[in-house]
Amino acid sequence: MLLFLSPWLIGFFVFTLYPVLASLYYSFTHYDLLSTPRWIGPANYTFMFTKDPFFWTAVRNTAWIILWGVPLRIIVAVGTASLLVRPRRGVTVYRTMFFLPTLAPAVAAALAFVFLFNPTFGPINQILSGLGMKNTPLWFSSPTWAKPAILIIGIWGIGDAMVIFLAGLLDVPRQLYEAADIEGASRYQRWRHVTLPMISPVIFFTLVIGVIEGFQTFTEAYVANITESNGDVNGLGAPLQSLLFFTTRLYQVGWLRYQMGYASALAWLLLVITLICTLIILKTSSRWVFYQGGDTK
């Protein structure tokens, strides 16, 4: 048995467990890839919370993208799935169209939106100008509009969440709606007391995945920064650090400045924060998640 498991075991210990434990050790050292790691204790963590001028900016930007992006993603996905749940002519085509953006590579999608959001010749601003808007948004060139532009990219790619909610809506027993109609329930009441509880496990799953992915926001911001700065990696986080997310800061420290010890400390803090947020959602889910055939978990 161990012989058959050995390829997986070797891969796990060499490529997963060892790097994880090594990064934990490096987080307590000064390590620049060129010299031998030097033990400095919790100095990296102390510097992170007290002296790093960009750490709290990255935390605020990441929290902003999660607090706005995750609820919007759920709301739009539920709304889209609700429109596509009823059988009608061409519904399969519409479902496919809404899902296709999910298949686009993240880098390609970000590049496309950088063009669409171009403040000078981008199609979106040209449409807004045609509709009478005088001061069109500067999007990735403005600290006010940069993060909303990231949100729009995320909402554009809600096809995966839409499919999950569509499956959840199709799984709601029809007899529950029939019983609600007999009781004289309005459309809102059917949604509030039948549909919403029955799809709450799907909302719970999407919420957990959305929070985890929110902490890992990187690609769209990185591509936007690189494109806007003509390939200058030193422009990460622009404009005015509005696109400096936790993972962007980690990339800056680790792969641009080779401060691998401090980058490891950032990575472990990110893991701990993500774990805490996930556990909070898990602990509170018993109050609002309903599972068919039983009480709330």
Side-chain angles (χ1 to χ4, degrees):
M1 181 64 71
L2 289 177
L3 179 63
F4 290 105
L5 288 175
S6 59
W8 182 87
L9 290 174
I10 293 173
F12 173 75
F13 283 107
V14 174
F15 298 109
T16 302
L17 185 60
Y18 170 74
V20 168
L21 296 179
S23 68
L24 179 60
Y25 167 73
Y26 291 146
S27 70
F28 294 97
T29 67
H30 173 78
Y31 182 42
D32 58 7
L33 290 179
L34 300 176
S35 58
T36 304
R38 177 169 53 87
W39 181 267
I40 57 174
N44 285 325
Y45 295 93
T46 302
F47 176 82
M48 183 190 308
F49 290 107
T50 60
K51 297 182 180 180
D52 187 342
F54 301 109
F55 171 75
W56 290 110
T57 300
V59 171
R60 286 193 295 269
N61 288 337
T62 304
W64 189 96
I65 211 72
I66 292 173
L67 292 176
W68 283 97
V70 175
L72 279 175
R73 179 178 174 83
I74 293 175
I75 292 171
V76 174
V78 172
T80 305
S82 299
L83 294 175
L84 299 176
V85 71
R86 296 180 180 178
R88 54 174 60 89
R89 180 178 297 180
V91 68
T92 304
V93 176
Y94 291 121
R95 291 174 182 176
T96 303
M97 291 174 60
F98 276 100
F99 181 74
L100 281 177
T102 307
L103 302 179
V107 174
L111 285 172
F113 272 93
V114 168
F115 167 74
L116 293 173
F117 284 136
N118 187 284
T120 304
F121 55 80
I124 292 180
N125 274 9
Q126 290 185 6
I127 293 173
L128 294 176
S129 298
L131 294 175
M133 180 179 290
K134 295 182 179 180
N135 298 319
T136 55
L138 297 178
W139 301 112
F140 290 119
S141 299
S142 166
T144 302
W145 287 98
K147 285 195 289 293
I150 297 292
L151 286 185
I152 293 175
I153 298 176
I155 293 174
W156 174 77
I158 51 94
D160 53 346
M162 180 271 295
V163 168
I164 297 174
F165 279 110
L166 183 61
L169 289 171
L170 291 172
D171 193 47
V172 177
R174 296 296 98 185
Q175 58 266 28
L176 295 180
Y177 290 120
E178 295 171 358
D181 289 335
I182 294 174
E183 294 294 331
S186 65
R187 180 176 297 181
Y188 168 76
Q189 289 173 328
R190 291 197 303 269
W191 169 260
R192 171 66 180 83
H193 298 289
V194 177
T195 304
L196 196 59
M198 296 305 293
I199 67 171
S200 58
V202 183
I203 297 176
F204 168 69
F205 172 80
T206 308
L207 176 62
V208 173
I209 298 300
V211 169
I212 294 174
E213 291 180 347
F215 279 113
Q216 298 175 353
T217 301
F218 175 79
T219 303
E220 294 80 2
Y222 177 83
V223 172
N225 286 154
I226 293 297
T227 305
E228 292 290 321
S229 61
N230 296 319
D232 183 11
V233 294
N234 294 317
L236 291 181
L240 299 179
Q241 310 304 324
S242 60
L243 292 182
L244 183 67
F245 299 107
F246 205 106
T247 50
T248 311
R249 180 58 179 160
L250 196 158
Y251 177 84
Q252 275 185 336
V253 172
W255 296 107
L256 297 183
R257 302 177 183 176
Y258 301 108
Q259 299 174 359
M260 286 299 174
Y262 186 46
S264 297
L266 286 170
W268 271 94
L269 180 64
L270 179 62
L271 172 64
V272 171
I273 294 176
T274 305
L275 181 62
I276 291 174
C277 291
T278 304
L279 289 176
I280 291 174
I281 297 174
L282 288 171
K283 289 294 185 181
T284 57
S285 65
S286 60
R287 303 176 183 176
W288 57 275
V289 179
F290 175 83
Y291 294 92
Q292 294 188 46
D295 298 327
T296 55
K297 185 176 180 180

